Amino acid sequence: MARSEDVKTIELRWAFTNGLFELQTTQAGKKQWNVTGLYAKGANVANLEAAALEAAVAEWGDKAKQMIKDGLIHSPFLDGDGPQGKSKKTGEPHAGFPGHKFIRFISGEEYRPKLFNRQLLPIASKNDFKSGDYGFGVVNAFTWENKEKGKGISFGISMIQKSRDGESLGGSGGGNPEDYFEKIADEGDAPDSTKSGAGASGLFE
């Protein structure tokens, strides 16, 4: 497995945040922390794409670029209007997903993601960070391969800083936060330095 450097996301809208407060069990029986980040189609996520490509090339060499284009490597950038943006039980779109793309972020059982508010104080209660709220994450891309699904890229997550409240959608690692985040004033926009990053783009469309 290859892993990218840690990168900071643009401001995302977070869904299924219950997975940050209660361990989730995968179909394979593995316990992990997880959360989903939503962003508008066309938003600049070039640094996340660059991280994904970095991990893929480290694992599979330069041929990974063509493999991504050909769809031979599962992309972590998913379409909210596609089948993965819909409930498997009802077939209905998940709240907030239409018109957006999304990424599923995970972290191992022993590495619960750290949550911070605008003043970089820890968030301990799920009432203070609900599905639909906005914030910035510290994440990394990593590769995987198995017999059932083949090759793919996923994202791990170590920290989130909540930036603002959002309309509820329902359902509800490590490092120093000061290395990635700035304190956000109670009024006004987030600092420009937290909004985006440069990187490769175009392979994951």
Side-chain angles (χ1 to χ4, degrees):
M1 180 182 75
R3 180 189 186 281
S4 75
E5 295 293 326
D6 287 342
V7 295
K8 181 173 56 186
T9 71
I10 62 170
E11 187 182 58
L12 301 175
R13 191 179 190 193
W14 300 91
F16 301 111
T17 56
N18 191 57
L20 295 169
F21 297 93
E22 298 177 10
L23 273 171
Q24 308 295 302
T25 303
T26 68
Q27 291 181 342
K30 185 177 181 180
K31 293 186 180 297
Q32 64 183 24
W33 306 96
N34 58 48
V35 67
T36 296
L38 298 161
Y39 58 94
K41 292 183 179 181
N44 179 7
V45 292
N47 65 331
L48 300 182
E49 293 175 341
L53 180 60
E54 175 189 336
V57 171
E59 181 71 24
W60 298 297
D62 286 338
K63 64 181 181 180
K65 298 177 183 179
Q66 189 61 47
M67 292 170 69
I68 290 170
K69 289 182 179 179
D70 293 340
L72 300 178
I73 296 174
H74 288 279
S75 171
F77 305 99
L78 305 174
D79 187 353
D81 292 307
Q84 292 170 312
K86 295 179 173 61
S87 169
K88 291 183 179 179
K89 292 182 179 180
T90 67
E92 294 296 316
H94 292 303
F97 279 58
H100 293 76
K101 297 193 78 171
F102 68 97
I103 300 171
R104 296 183 179 120
F105 299 99
I106 63 174
S107 186
E109 180 178 1
E110 298 179 358
Y111 303 97
R112 182 179 178 182
K114 298 178 181 180
L115 306 178
F116 302 93
N117 65 15
R118 294 164 69 95
Q119 286 73 44
L120 296 186
L121 298 175
I123 294 175
S125 170
K126 64 176 64 177
N127 294 327
D128 295 325
F129 190 62
K130 66 183 186 301
S131 292
D133 288 346
Y134 294 81
F136 305 94
V138 175
V139 305
N140 65 82
F142 65 91
T143 59
W144 52 265
E145 186 170 354
N146 59 54
K147 293 181 179 179
E148 291 76 23
K149 294 185 177 181
K151 297 177 174 62
I153 307 166
S154 294
F155 273 93
I157 187 163
S158 59
M159 291 185 281
I160 297 176
Q161 181 190 26
K162 178 181 174 178
S163 57
R164 57 191 172 103
D165 290 331
E167 182 179 352
S168 175
L169 294 177
S172 214
N176 186 343
E178 284 86 356
D179 291 341
Y180 298 93
F181 303 133
E182 300 173 24
K183 292 184 179 180
I184 301 174
D186 289 336
E187 301 295 336
D189 294 332
D192 287 341
S193 61
T194 66
K195 291 183 178 178
S196 65
S201 63
L203 285 178
F204 297 94
E205 294 301 321

